[in-house]
């Protein structure tokens, strides 16, 4: 199983580039999401509706989702490789392909771009609402563009570099485990009244597993900025200066690089579930944000993804060589 992971990683990466996420194909993350929703409802009923009770229920959710996210793909791969190596490689490649989001991230963010270019503000608000967690019904063109660019920046790490990183060191099993944790955070990791206690363990674990990948992603994006002829020097400057201008220790890492590379200002105050959250800005407003920035953000996404894939295939090859040698 181990010796084919590098090949599966590379094949899965290119399949994702060409196919993206077809609507007819039921995505594994949706299965994980349904599992989270099911266990959340069950555990909330099982534990007392107190601060400690909700915390214990949230901890149990983390344990269950982590176990299932790792054990299910491990079992499938184990059986597949027992049947035949080719079947195992196909399944491993498919898993890698399903856990990446290069093309789908571009497609969804470019829907926002097209609506803005056509002057359809309501359409753009609807499109950006599909990819962000904030309230979008009152956003103007600048706010919509910033939301789309920030999402591309953050998901360059969460949706591409981090999954590649974990597949490189632990194969699809670790990749699935990461996506299980990341999906939990996106569903229950909010600091509002409903999830402040229940989701705190999921949020903290997501911070931990993204700590290294977020920083690797940022440096890869800085290199990619130079390749694209963007402002790589400013990307590095803003990254060093503003990478902690966020409640999360990880989210501003890649957003800072994006803001610097494009010479724009991102982040700032935003509404979530009708409540205003005051957030620091990232980057300098050297020029006005405009919808063309979404295109440049996606170019940076693609070059970063290519660089990440090359780096992690190299890492995986080195790991396999060490295993064989030892």
């Amino acid at each position: 199983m181990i010796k084919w992971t590098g090949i599966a990683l590379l094949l899965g990466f290119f399949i994702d580039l060409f196919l993206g996420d077809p609507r007819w194909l039921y995505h594994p993350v949706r299965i994980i999401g349904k599992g989270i929703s099911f266990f959340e409802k069950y555990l909330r009923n099982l534990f007392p509706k107190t601060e400690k009770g909700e915390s214990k229920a949230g901890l149990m959710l983390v344990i269950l989702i982590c176990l299932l996210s790792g054990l299910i793909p491990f079992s499938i791969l184990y059986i597949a490789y027992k049947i035949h190596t080719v079947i195992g490689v196909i399944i491993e490649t498919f898993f890698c392909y399903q856990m990446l989001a290069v093309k789908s991230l571009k497609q969804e963010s470019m829907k926002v771009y097209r609506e803005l270019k056509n002057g359809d503000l309501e359409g753009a608000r609807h499109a950006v609402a599909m990819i962000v967690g904030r309230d979008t019904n009152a956003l103007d063109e600048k706010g919509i563009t910033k939301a789309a660019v920030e999402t591309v920046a953050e998901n360059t790490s969460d949706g591409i570099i981090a999954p590649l990183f974990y597949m490189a060191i632990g194969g699809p099993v670790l990749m699935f485990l990461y996506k299980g944790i990341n999906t939990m955070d996106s569903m229950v990791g909010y600091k509002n009244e409903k999830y402040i206690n229940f989701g705190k363990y999921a949020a903290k674990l997501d911070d931990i597993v993204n700590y290294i990948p977020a920083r690797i992603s940022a440096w890869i994006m800085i290199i990619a900025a130079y390749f694209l002829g963007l402002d790589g020097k400013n990307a590095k400057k803003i990254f060093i200066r503003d990478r902690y201008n966020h409640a999360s220790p990880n989210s501003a890492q890649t957003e800072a690089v994006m803001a610097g590379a494009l010479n724009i200002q991102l982040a700032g105050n935003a509404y979530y579930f009708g409540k205003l959250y005051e957030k620091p800005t990232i980057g300098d407003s050297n020029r006005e944000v405009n919808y063309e920035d979404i295109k440049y953000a996606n170019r940076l996404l693609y070059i970063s993804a290519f660089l990440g894939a090359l780096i992690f295939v190299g890492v995986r090859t080195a790991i396999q060589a060490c295993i064989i040698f030892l």
Side-chain angles (χ1 to χ4, degrees), residues 35-248:
I36 293 167
S37 296
F38 171 79
F39 284 120
E40 178 185 353
K41 184 178 180 180
Y42 175 77
L43 291 167
R44 281 186 183 276
N45 290 328
L46 184 65
F47 286 86
K49 291 176 173 56
T50 62
E51 184 177 326
K52 285 187 177 180
E54 288 187 350
S55 294
K56 288 178 181 178
L59 178 59
M60 185 58 66
L61 174 73
V62 169
I63 293 169
L64 287 169
I65 294 301
C66 285
L67 282 172
L68 292 173
S69 296
L71 283 174
I72 292 174
F74 174 81
S75 301
I76 293 171
L77 280 171
Y78 181 81
I79 294 168
Y81 272 103
K82 280 290 185 181
I83 295 170
H84 199 281
T85 299
V86 173
I87 296 174
V89 173
I90 290 171
I91 297 295
E92 196 168 357
T93 298
F94 179 75
F95 280 170
C96 177
Y97 150 59
Q98 287 280 273
M99 290 295 103
L100 296 175
V102 184
K103 186 171 182 178
S104 63
L105 180 55
K106 179 187 175 183
Q107 286 177 326
E108 294 303 312
S109 59
M110 287 303 289
K111 287 178 183 178
V112 181
Y113 169 81
R114 285 190 292 272
E115 297 292 355
L116 289 174
K117 190 174 182 179
N118 292 332
D120 186 350
L121 204 60
E122 279 304 313
R125 286 172 181 152
H126 176 74
V128 81
M130 298 295 104
I131 56 174
V132 301
R134 74 192 66 180
D135 297 346
T136 62
N137 55 345
L139 291 179
D140 58 10
E141 181 180 313
K142 180 180 176 181
I144 293 167
T145 301
K146 284 174 62 176
V149 170
E150 288 165 20
T151 296
V152 172
E154 186 174 354
N155 282 285
T156 298
S157 177
D158 291 1
I160 297 134
I161 302 299
L164 287 172
F165 170 79
Y166 281 110
M167 179 151 183
I169 62 175
V173 175
L174 203 56
M175 196 185 208
F176 261 85
L177 178 58
Y178 167 76
K179 291 304 291 186
I181 295 167
N182 193 236
T183 305
M184 264 193 298
D185 179 62
S186 69
M187 292 179 67
V188 305
Y190 297 102
K191 292 182 179 179
N192 56 23
E193 186 178 348
K194 183 178 180 180
Y195 289 114
I196 188 68
N197 298 312
F198 184 84
K200 67 179 181 181
Y201 290 109
K204 182 57 68 176
L205 184 57
D206 185 73
D207 286 344
I208 292 169
V209 299
N210 275 301
Y211 192 88
I212 293 173
R215 285 145 184 81
I216 293 173
S217 300
W219 284 107
I220 288 174
M221 287 174 68
I222 290 170
I223 296 168
Y226 280 106
F227 271 96
L228 282 168
L230 297 175
D231 198 338
K233 184 178 180 181
N234 195 49
K236 181 181 177 182
K237 171 190 165 185
I238 300 300
F239 164 66
I240 292 171
R241 191 191 76 188
D242 293 350
R243 58 186 172 147
Y244 291 113
N245 286 9
H246 200 284
S248 163

Side-chain angles (χ1 to χ4, degrees), residues 280-316:
T281 57
I282 298 171
D284 299 320
S285 54
N286 296 329
R287 63 174 182 81
E288 282 295 311
V289 175
N290 69 80
Y291 59 79
E292 291 295 329
D293 289 317
I294 300 173
K295 285 176 65 175
Y296 286 107
N298 277 296
R299 290 174 186 174
L300 190 57
L301 157 72
Y302 262 67
I303 298 301
S304 299
F306 272 108
L307 289 174
L310 289 174
I311 290 167
F312 292 126
V313 167
V315 168
R316 185 66 203 185

